[in-house]
Amino acid sequence: MEEFFQLKKHNTTIKTEIVAGLTTFMTMAYVLAVEPSAIVGSSAVFTDCSGNEITRAAILVMCALVSGLVTIFMAMYANMPFALSTGMGSNFMLGALIQSGSISFGGAMTIIMISGLVFLVLTVFGLRDMIVRMIPKNIKVAISASIGFFIAYLGFKNTGIGSYNGGIGLGDFTDPTVLLAILGLIIISVLTAYHVRGAILIGIAVITILGIPFGVTTLPDHYLEVPNLADLSHVSFQFDLSAIFTSNALVLTFICFFGDFFSTLGTVLGVAGKAKMLDENGNLPNIQKPFLVDAIGTCVGACFGCTTITTFVESSSGVEAGGRTGLTALTTGIMFVLMIFAAPFFACIPYAATGPALIFVGFLMISGFSEIDFSDFTEAFGPFIMIVFSAFTASIASGIGAGIIAHVVIKVCTGHAKEVHPGLYILCIPMLLYFIYN
């Protein structure tokens, strides 16, 4: 294990990597509850417009299986502490269309597959890496801070500390979930102040247990469950090729691709920056490896009924717990695979336990904000736009897109057009289309 993952080279240990992997999993585990709800709603069984019956359990099992296998692939191939699962965004967009009858489940998976194949081609031919390298350093630095604000927002939203219905405000501070979430944040912060390893994981475990008497944590009737193979067949290899001939197919494919592209870009650079894996120019050596895993993951996910597979920002929680190698990702991947049989057990981990971890990691990642060069307004304006768009639109893809467009516009309008890489002008075209059609 030492030889394969090069633990000494990365100044880490087996114990640290495993704790980091468990921490990443615990902060990502919510996806196993969110993905089924996004695709089929609140019903146990949903029939799409083509007559295909899809169960919540089947979506959950496939999400766990694909997330686990692709994350293990990341561990063994790239040896990096990144975990992957179904990204938030395209799942809700396509899920709404599936539930409304605008597109079949098979049609949605076809859209995802095409998006993944485009992603794969760009990665294999090195075009995505070229796009990464033409982005200015200030913009790259801002990505980490943007992700910090974004995942802090997720923590506030999931726990109810913040209210986002009809405006931004405080949540209900008489709600036990909110109070436990605040307690969880305090526990994690105090343990970190005392340099306790695994502080985030300990905080999640303590709040999950404390949530039992408050009715926040609901213990399941049984803890193990064997997946129903018949149900799984209804979500596996369900492609509807007629979907690609519809009027909105191109737009849906573009949105899925664009969102995955920049979410992955932002997450990989942001998390790698926190792990001090970037070089002096803000680039990640061998960045094509996590890109390739991400692209393959999306294609594999489409085959097994999963929406776009992407690298998760929650990987940063494992990095903060000391994770530096693929052993962290391997641990996370194994936990996801185990959830195939322990789905009822997963259901007892409340948002009150995972939300504080996201808020705390958000605080830690905002530190990248201090590295932005504010001495030149034309260099600082783009990063500012990126951060506020990520925070107030709840979308990393929108934040990165807006930040780059703002950078180009301010450079051109102030007579510094030659300082902009030619590729950025081309890149702004699909970005503008994204904002128009999203």
Side-chain angles (χ1 to χ4, degrees):
M1 192 172 292
E2 154 61 30
E3 183 179 351
F4 186 85
F5 291 110
Q6 300 178 316
L7 300 181
K8 289 183 179 179
K9 176 183 177 181
H10 292 88
N11 194 29
T12 184
T13 65
I14 293 176
K15 179 182 177 181
T16 298
E17 293 290 302
I18 291 177
V19 169
L22 291 173
T23 303
T24 297
F25 171 75
M26 294 296 281
T27 55
M28 283 181 62
Y30 70 86
V31 72
L32 296 178
V34 174
E35 179 71 1
S37 298
I39 301 301
V40 301
S42 59
S43 58
V45 181
F46 174 79
T47 303
D48 73 354
C49 61
S50 68
N52 185 24
E53 291 188 348
I54 308 163
T55 66
R56 287 176 57 86
I59 296 295
L60 188 152
V61 168
M62 285 307 191
C63 178
L65 176 63
V66 173
S67 299
L69 293 180
V70 176
T71 300
I72 291 173
F73 179 35
M74 175 71 78
M76 307 305 286
Y77 174 66
N79 192 24
M80 294 181 180
F82 305 139
L84 302 90
S85 189
T86 49
M88 302 295 103
S90 63
N91 56 351
F92 284 103
M93 177 189 71
L94 293 174
L97 294 174
I98 292 171
Q99 293 174 45
S100 67
S102 300
I103 190 172
S104 66
F105 178 80
M109 292 303 107
T110 303
I111 296 296
I112 294 295
M113 174 59 80
I114 295 174
S115 169
L117 290 175
V118 173
F119 215 163
L120 185 59
V121 170
L122 287 177
T123 301
V124 170
F125 286 97
L127 297 179
R128 188 159 71 163
D129 185 49
M130 178 189 69
I131 292 175
V132 171
R133 293 185 179 278
M134 70 185 181
I135 297 175
K137 184 177 180 179
N138 251 20
I139 292 291
K140 292 177 184 176
V141 170
I143 289 174
S144 179
S146 298
I147 293 175
F149 281 103
F150 173 73
I151 61 178
Y153 152 78
L154 286 180
F156 273 80
K157 180 176 181 292
N158 291 346
T159 59
I161 295 176
S163 175
Y164 301 92
N165 295 322
I168 301 176
L170 286 175
D172 181 3
F173 276 64
T174 63
D175 186 342
T177 298
V178 175
L179 296 177
L180 284 171
I182 294 173
L183 177 60
L185 185 58
I186 293 173
I187 291 173
I188 295 172
S189 302
V190 172
L191 290 176
T192 300
Y194 280 98
H195 306 289
V196 176
R197 281 289 187 181
I200 294 175
L201 180 58
I202 294 172
I204 292 173
V206 170
I207 296 303
T208 298
I209 295 172
L210 290 179
I212 297 174
F214 287 96
V216 174
T217 302
T218 303
L219 297 178
D221 296 328
H222 56 282
Y223 293 91
L224 297 176
E225 187 174 81
V226 178
N228 187 316
L229 297 180
D231 290 341
L232 298 183
S233 66
H234 286 274
V235 298
S236 302
F237 296 94
Q238 295 295 320
F239 295 115
D240 180 5
L241 297 180
S242 64
I244 63 177
F245 299 108
T246 60
S247 58
N248 62 346
L250 180 61
V251 175
L252 291 176
T253 302
F254 175 76
I255 292 175
C256 289
F257 164 73
F258 189 87
D260 189 20
F261 184 103
F262 282 100
S263 290
T264 300
L265 168 61
T267 300
V268 168
L269 290 179
V271 176
K274 201 63 189 176
K276 301 187 184 304
M277 298 166 63
L278 303 180
D279 60 22
E280 64 277 4
N281 296 315
N283 297 315
L284 175 64
N286 295 320
I287 195 173
Q288 71 279 2
K289 288 188 175 181
F291 280 174
L292 184 62
V293 173
D294 194 284
I296 293 175
T298 295
C299 295
V300 172
C303 293
F304 293 98
C306 296
T307 49
T308 306
I309 298 294
T310 188
T311 306
F312 259 54
V313 295
E314 286 81 357
S315 299
S316 55
S317 63
V319 167
E320 286 300 330
R324 293 295 183 271
T325 74
L327 183 54
T328 294
L330 178 62
T331 303
T332 305
I334 291 174
M335 290 301 299
F336 267 115
V337 172
L338 291 177
M339 287 301 102
I340 293 173
F341 305 100
F345 174 77
F346 150 78
C348 75
I349 303 172
Y351 280 134
T354 58
L358 296 182
I359 296 171
F360 186 74
V361 171
F363 155 73
L364 295 172
M365 296 196 71
I366 289 172
S367 62
F369 190 82
S370 63
E371 299 178 26
I372 298 175
D373 180 13
F374 285 95
S375 63
D376 183 347
F377 175 77
T378 64
E379 290 289 336
F381 184 68
F384 165 74
I385 292 297
M386 179 182 295
I387 291 171
V388 294
F389 262 71
S390 295
F392 297 122
T393 67
S395 170
I396 296 175
S398 296
I400 295 177
I404 292 177
I405 291 174
H407 175 78
V408 172
V409 169
I410 199 67
K411 284 290 186 180
V412 171
C413 293
T414 55
H416 296 88
K418 292 183 179 179
E419 296 178 10
V420 179
H421 191 289
L424 281 185
Y425 291 109
I426 299 175
L427 193 58
C428 283
I429 297 174
M431 287 178 178
L432 290 171
L433 293 175
Y434 169 77
F435 284 107
I436 292 172
Y437 291 106
N438 193 10

